Amino acid sequence: MNMKTNIIFLLLLWMLGSTSCNYLDIVPDEKATEADAFKDAAAAERFLYACYAYIPDPRSGTYSMDLLTGDDIVTPWEHEVFGQFARGEYTPSKPYINYWNDLYKGIRYCYLLKENLPTVSGLSVEDANTYMAEADFLIAYYHFLIIRNYGPAIIVKGLADINTPLADLSARSTYDECVAFISEILKDVAGRLPMEWTGSNYGRATGTVAMAIRARLLLYAASPQFNGGERFKSLYGEFKNPDGTLLINTQYDQKKWENAKLACKEAIEWAERAGHKLYEAIPGGLPQTPEPEDLTLRSLRFTFLDKDNTKEVIWAFCKKEDTGNGLQVKNLPRWASRTWGGTAPTLRQIERFYTKNGLPIDEDPEYPYNQRYSVASFQPNTRDTIYGEGETILLNTLREPRFYAWIAFHHGYYEVLGEDKVEETSAYHTKFKRGKLGAKLLTEFLFNQNSGKTERGTGSFTGYLAKKGAHPGSNISSTGANVVQYPWPVIRLAELYLNYAEACIECGDLETGIEYLDKIRYRAGIPGVKDAWKGIATLTQHKLREIVHRERQIELFMENHNFWDLRRWGEAETLGIQPKGMSVMEKDDLSKFGQPTAVDVRRRFIPAQYLMPIPIEEVNKNPNMVQNPGYNE
Amino acid sequence: MNLKMKFGDKNTEQVKFLRIMRAIVLFLFLGIGMSFASNSYSQETLLSISAENKTVKDVFKQIESSSEFIIFCMADVVDLDRKVSLNLEGQNIETILNFIFRDTDNTFKIEDRQVIITKKTSNLQSPSVSQQNKTKVTGVVTDTNGESVIGASVVEKGTTNGITTDIDGRYEISVSGKNAVLSISYLGYVTQDIKVDGRRNINVQLYEDSKTLEEVVVTAYGTGQKKESLVGSIQTVRPSDLKVPATNLTTAFAGRLAGVIAVQQTGEPGADGANFWIRGVSTFGSNTSPLIIIDGVEANATDLNALDPEVIEGFSILKDATATAMYGMRGANGVMIVTTKSGMAMEKPIINFRIEGSMNQPTKIPEFVDGVRFMELYNEAIYNQPAGKEAYTQERIEGTRLGLNPYIFPNVDWYNELFDDRSFSETFNFNIRGGGRKVDYFSSASVSHESGMLKDRSKDFFSYSNNINRMRYSFQNNINAHLSKTSKLSLRLNVMLVDKRSPQQSTGNIFSSVMAANPVDAPIMFPKEAGDPYIKWGVPAHAEGPSYSNPLAYMTTGYNDTFQSTVIASLSYDQKLDFITSGLSFKAMASFKNFSNSVQTRTAGWNKFLIEQYGKNEEGIYDYKLKRFSDEVGTTLSSSSSNTGNRKIYFQAMLEYKRKFSLHDVGGLLIYNQDEYMDNNPGSNILVALPTRRQGFAARASYAYDNRYLAEINLGYNGSENFAKGNRFGFFPSVAVGYNISEEKFFEPLRKIISRMKIRATWGLVGNGDIGGERFTYLSNISLTGSAAFTTGINMDKVLSGPNYSRFSNNNLTWEVGEKINLGLDLTLLDKLNMSVDFFRENRDDIFQAKATIPNYFGMQGTTIYGNFGGVKNQGVDASLDIGHSFNKNLEFTFKGSFTYAHNEITKYEEAIGEYENLSKIGYSTNQAWGYIADHLFADQAEVDSYAKQLIGGTIGAGDIKYVNVTNEFYGKGDNTIDSNDRLPIGNPTVPEIVYGFGPSIRWKNFDISFFFQGVAKRSIFMSDLQPFGSNANNRNVQKFIAEDRWSPDNQNILAKYPRLTIETHDNNSAQSTYWMRNGAFLKLKNAEIGYTIKSMRFYLRGSNLLTFSPFKHWDPEQGGGNGLKYPTQRVFNLGFQMTIK
């Protein structure tokens, strides 16, 4: 009996012993906290990078809203996310790509950094000031991206309180207020940012970047979409907050162009002071890629590809390109499961390029415009031979160097390296190798030919391929697409010149406009504006507006601009028009191939889509928030 | 009428073995202790009995309550209502009984603690019958197991002539003549009347009558309570009632357990358990599953499914607050308690074995179109929606139709290439149950083998087979050591091993690969040529995109070998503390569970080929040129492995008090418990590496007066480490009252019809502390390098990322609380029909939810802030019914039925719906689906243009689904667009609200036959992911019903079953809407069984999922929505043999 009692007492003791009150205290104190995110200089630098990390990737082959979605390109990959933008199928319920959340997230990171920077130990004052300036720049830049996407934005001026009552949630500010807010920060921050970043810091914001973004901001703000364009008077006339504030001013204001012109001028000065200049290839210079051999073509093709030598790029996005579905592998001629050869310029873009005389194809008297779809031949032993060989469509002859630098066409060349251990129909086969060291390929675009459309539904849908952005030094082999990586230009000097030219022309300063247009044209190997149009047209403001728009669509083709430019000019309805190309189903007859046909893709554009839809949930969450016009009617 | 009386209940003390097995089996089942100590008990035990003009019955009760004696007698042998007066101090039982029966014709026999009262032999003879006419009849009364039945009464019908059987089950009776009829009865058995017919020896076998057994119900923490005194809502079932293929218990729950909602969604071996919820779903929080306790140890559904039904003694489903409050913050979703069998003291062990073989067939599989039809439909889709795709040429279509060349014009039926229409499984179980006075044991071993319905194609190509092949070995060993008269040590050990071969790809992916491939784009393989080192698998030309381009290669190249082991060991110690005060006992239990899982994955590369060119050669015969697609890859198997596992340690100590003071039954229970769960391979996440702990106290007090008025209070007080200090412990009380109205005197006249009637009412609070699935949600969560990364550098080489804020802290987080109310009625009619009905309501509050109203312009997308925001009201009724009737010893009939209805409604929800009330979840079920209201299909472009803009996705054309502009029609918002704000709650919840089951069983002589029907109602399912062709360039397959009735330019039927075909996914048409909503109700012939029993052997043939009646025809509606492409539920035929050896 005693023994039992003992057992029981022992058990009871054990039970009590294990009941110690800290049985449930198991979370160690050494957990990561917000303080750790700012504990030293290295942590602060990581935080800074996190601030930058919400900048959308501008050359993602699958997820760029504005790269392959303009009226200039069609691809076989419109089932990918970006395709919804080409087709105009994005809606508030299904925005597909929704930068709203990410961009505001970036803004919050910037404010967090600003708030906590003073607590970081071991960070030099100099660095702290730079970080502070970069955070400010990013706040402005993110707001700029928001207004470019969505128009009038909610301006965020600090860290939000999560307990904000529903009624106190912010309403959208007017477009002009947003512009003023962003412009002020950018102007202020330019002087606080470094003049340049080199080496491993290349790609961070500089003073020039701030000024250049400001120039772009004001250019957009002065453009018809936000400056009383006729197209927009009815669309935005009733675009109001619940309190009645009109969000986009529909009255034209010349002052906006003046501001833009000034900002562009300042940006150019900043850029030139920082040593930026248009890229021109040097004979025998780097990179040691043999093709294209012609210096003009080389200057154009390598404008931003020659990363170590180009001074033209003002701001670059440095994330490495995806080698499976990125832009280069989508551009480069087909090598099964390595490269896809599918970014096909539309006939509209093909015809946009000038003739060799620097004139639109329908204005150049030397250009046989009416026969442009007939079969023609490149003349051997002339300058023609650097552009192509044998029979092609007349449209592909007598064009400006940018056409030949950036476009591959039937019996033209595509500069790229590649092995030849492939089947006969592949562009990389020995029989298609041309040029120095066989470093350019002869491209053929009839059905099932080496770059043509195939039975699989891949290949070029228009009979053309874009070469722009594809590095001629990229080496394709059975082991993979060894693409040469280079930072993608977000801003380059040519854009600043074109921005300035446009603003000057809109302000009536036609001479300066022409001066800056000519800088671009001379580098492109075509005559200046006045020379080209001499005796053909009078260079009125109206004419020059047309010229500067066209120049921009040629020069900045496939650089994330077309999508936005069409909108701000009020010309985005062209995005809803069925694009055309060659008759790519034609197997043998080149003359039949040359007949323009509608490309088998879907296109739609509704006026609401001049602005991106705000995710429907965000409108539902915030009683003070209104949807963009057209999505609710 | 014979009645075997038992006058009170007893706690087991110490069991002395006697050759009276029957009684022990019975009494153990009753949960009533019997004491067969040394014969000296009756001599040594001295009793003091005083009674003034009390009935004999009352005196017996008094003796039983103050000693360990149990008194047996027949009502018509002993006049129990005779009044006696006695006042005896310190006398032994014999003296007392002699006093009581001194002037009667009764005599008694004392066997240790058992007292059997009979008539004196001399008085047994009927005076009216002359000695000469007497016939002596002898015999043995046994039960179905052949055990002798002691104390059974054998009476000549219509007389008072009777006797009880002795300890060998023998009887000897003189009857009045050849035509006399013997009536043999025993408590818990069906009474039998047998004509003597001049026989001298009549052996009688009695059959159990389970309904009249006074069941003991296992309640919280494994303590037992008599069903009669139960007030909580508890449903019990024995595994023999479930009748399922031995490999899966949970599939049998639906319709058999009142209050359990269960649906089986897949038939994949090893993963085919049903999802089940006790009384439906009461929360939209992450944890809706009931707590499962196996032998006192918390387990999961997998462990439950792995238990062999043979080893299970019984299930208890604890449904209301009284039943579960003691589990505190684990009890809100209900508790399922499973107990395994124990050994017992007996001379010879009972050996039982069972062998069963099954054949499984898929219930219903989706059907696809053939190659020719596929191409025609594809071309039609291109016509409908231009998307840069080439049509199939007439040459290809004709070539396929004529079967010209299987490589150039393939026409592959992938489903049949991959899957068999049957599979087989076998189970063998062996168990032994026995023991002696000191130690008893139950030991079971079972082996089951299951194979999958994947065709064994890998053997055609490779050395290995990769069809699902699963061996399960399960061992259960329960040992009780009776250390002394008052103490017992029990060890329960369950070991389960699973050895499984399966394809390297999940079956889910393999099934969907059939949808992702089509019949015409590639042959399975190209002919092997001499010297080919590997198989030339065919892939479609568009293989550049999709992940499965050859389903067969996808399925066959590689396999997984999985080995799992689960060990559950529990050691418990029972101590009676009668020396402190009578009725007090102590029990402590410690248990350990370890689960480990190791997977060896072997994968091989496969080489892809496609036709580069084809055409007719000079002889006009088709010829082709083959081309490799992508690089040559090695076909040797590469290997990788992974290990996962977890362990759990549990401790519990309990003090129990149970005593009866005359008419007052008093009980008390005090429990302490704690448990700890650890991940065995936590990896680098510190929060995962920390143990999960719980700690708690629970108490119960119960009182019953004369078995008529019952009251009970339960308390749970427990805590979880998952909450902030100060918010860790919760208090969960419950109260219950019950009224056995049929025990009342005034009820006596009704008792012939209403044999028993009880009313119960309970109220209580229970908790659900398992919230969010995440741990320590009250803490903020920052990962220092978890943000998106940014790259700088001219060489693009500096990549840094900063902190990611995935959660903000909220120290006020706490568990969900459920307030449960239950009203119950138990009814027995005519002693044959048992019925139980419970009405329940639960208000679940403080449901854990992420804050949903923070606008994203705050910049906090992806950062969650949790709070206890939600509320759900759940109410319904569950009922069970059983009827049993024995027409004679050859024919018995039983019928069982159950019905459960549970309807829940969200009462509080953190939501951001703006002005769109139609989007509010409040007032709707947690499983309610939202969708568009489909009107019909657009007839033409003019109708599209004139109608509101449908901004759901895609460009709208004729033949697309037209939706109702809800915001306009119903709410008059005046908008002209249809977007996600135009959705309404549509249909019934996706989890059924009504589950029912019913079925008869009939035994005729040695045959038994049973049927069980099971059904669900008030449930909607949604078809989805059916889109043929599809966006990812993978030319998905087409289901037959689409081909049969769709909108097309030739069939502009605006009421077609499928909208216009499109090449790419058309979000407008695939959005969840009433167009894709189907009635998910069904009624199944879930089981049918026929068995033949001879001696101790039984043969049976059983079928499961035999017939399905449902408005939904495409696949088994129980599988739920989707496109039907998953491992189908199976129709199973089992042939079994069972044998018991004693």
Side-chain angles (χ1 to χ4, degrees), chain B residues 317 445 542 585 609 687 815 843 923 1127:
Chain B
I317 314 293
H542 56 72
S585 63
F609 285 82
L687 294 185
W815 49 85
N843 291 313
Y1127 203 107

Side-chain angles (χ1 to χ4, degrees), chain B residues 536-809:
Chain B
K536 291 170 168 165
W537 294 103
V539 290
H542 56 72
E544 293 159 6
S547 45
Y548 345 103
S549 37
N550 185 320
L552 196 59
Y554 183 73
M555 176 177 89
T556 53
T557 48
Y559 59 90
N560 281 355
D561 278 335
T562 306
F563 185 79
Q564 290 177 340
S565 72
T566 310
V567 177
I568 306 176
S570 91
L571 187 67
S572 65
Y573 175 75
D574 281 56
Q575 176 67 52
K576 293 208 172 301
L577 300 174
D578 290 315
F579 59 89
I580 298 173
T581 177
S582 186
L584 189 68
S585 63
F586 171 80
K587 186 177 179 182
M589 183 180 80
S591 74
F592 173 74
K593 177 186 161 188
N594 190 75
F595 169 75
S596 81
N597 181 43
S598 71
V599 184
Q600 293 281 335
T601 302
R602 294 181 212 282
T603 336
W606 51 289
N607 288 286
K608 306 168 182 178
F609 285 82
L610 51 88
I611 289 177
E612 186 180 14
Q613 271 179 333
Y614 67 85
K616 284 183 184 166
N617 61 14
E618 294 87 26
E619 291 111 63
I621 295 170
Y622 273 103
D623 206 0
Y624 62 88
K625 200 169 134 197
L626 212 54
K627 148 175 155 180
R628 165 186 297 290
F629 179 80
S630 80
D631 305 320
E632 179 172 343
V633 289
T635 52
T636 49
L637 287 168
S638 65
S639 180
S640 66
S641 67
S642 70
N643 287 297
T644 52
N646 56 61
R647 60 187 189 271
K648 183 167 223 147
I649 299 167
Y650 177 75
F651 170 73
Q652 149 188 326
M654 171 162 100
L655 208 54
E656 191 178 10
Y657 179 68
K658 234 187 215 176
R659 195 155 173 196
K660 185 160 184 155
F661 299 97
S662 144
L663 295 174
H664 309 274
D665 266 311
V666 178
L669 187 64
L670 199 63
I671 291 174
Y672 167 78
N673 65 60
Q674 63 179 48
D675 67 34
E676 179 179 291
Y677 168 92
M678 294 278 283
D679 195 314
N680 287 346
N681 303 67
S684 58
N685 185 336
I686 184 165
L687 294 185
V688 175
L690 296 174
T692 304
R693 284 180 178 167
R694 283 197 208 87
Q695 187 177 32
F697 292 95
R700 172 196 290 157
S702 64
Y703 172 76
Y705 176 74
D706 195 23
N707 244 345
R708 270 182 291 164
Y709 310 111
L710 314 162
E712 201 177 304
I713 295 176
N714 287 284
L715 303 172
Y717 177 73
N718 51 16
S720 155
E721 95 299 346
N722 215 4
F723 305 112
K725 231 176 179 170
N727 274 329
R728 283 182 184 158
F729 281 86
F731 182 65
F732 304 96
S734 81
V735 291
V737 287
Y739 181 27
N740 264 325
I741 193 164
S742 55
E743 294 292 303
E744 292 283 3
K745 277 254 168 3
F746 62 75
F747 205 82
E748 242 161 78
L750 285 174
R751 229 174 274 167
K752 279 208 172 108
I753 302 159
I754 304 175
S755 338
R756 267 194 301 187
M757 180 168 166
K758 183 162 72 172
I759 303 166
R760 298 173 277 113
T762 70
W763 171 91
L765 298 178
V766 270
N768 181 9
D770 188 0
I771 52 172
E774 274 183 78
R775 302 200 58 196
F776 311 112
T777 35
Y778 69 94
L779 293 172
S780 67
N781 193 5
I782 290 187
S783 143
L784 287 178
T785 52
S787 82
F790 188 67
T791 309
T792 58
I794 190 75
N795 294 321
M796 314 168 83
D797 50 4
K798 185 172 178 184
V799 186
L800 290 180
S801 59
N804 180 45
Y805 297 74
S806 55
R807 188 174 59 218
F808 285 153
S809 75

Side-chain angles (χ1 to χ4, degrees), chain A residues 14 23 25-26 31 45 49 87 89 93 96 109 170 200 202 307 338 456 478 585 600 602 618 620, chain B residues 388 390 544 631 651 691 693 728 780 792-793 795 798 803 856-857 951 955 979-981 1031 1064 1067:
Chain A
W14 177 42
Y23 181 70
D25 287 340
I26 56 166
K31 246 185 104 269
E45 188 185 23
Y49 272 64
R87 291 175 187 164
E89 290 182 346
S93 311
Y96 292 102
Y109 268 87
S170 304
S200 65
Y202 179 83
K307 66 182 169 74
R338 300 287 177 237
R456 309 173 197 174
S478 57
M585 297 305 295
D600 202 6
R602 278 172 287 140
E618 293 306 298
N620 287 349
Chain B
E390 294 319 310
E544 293 159 6
D631 305 320
F651 170 73
R693 284 180 178 167
R728 283 182 184 158
S780 67
T792 58
N795 294 321
K798 185 172 178 184
N856 284 333
Y857 82 80
L951 298 181
T955 310
D979 53 26
S980 65
N981 285 341
S1031 293
E1064 290 175 3
D1067 289 326

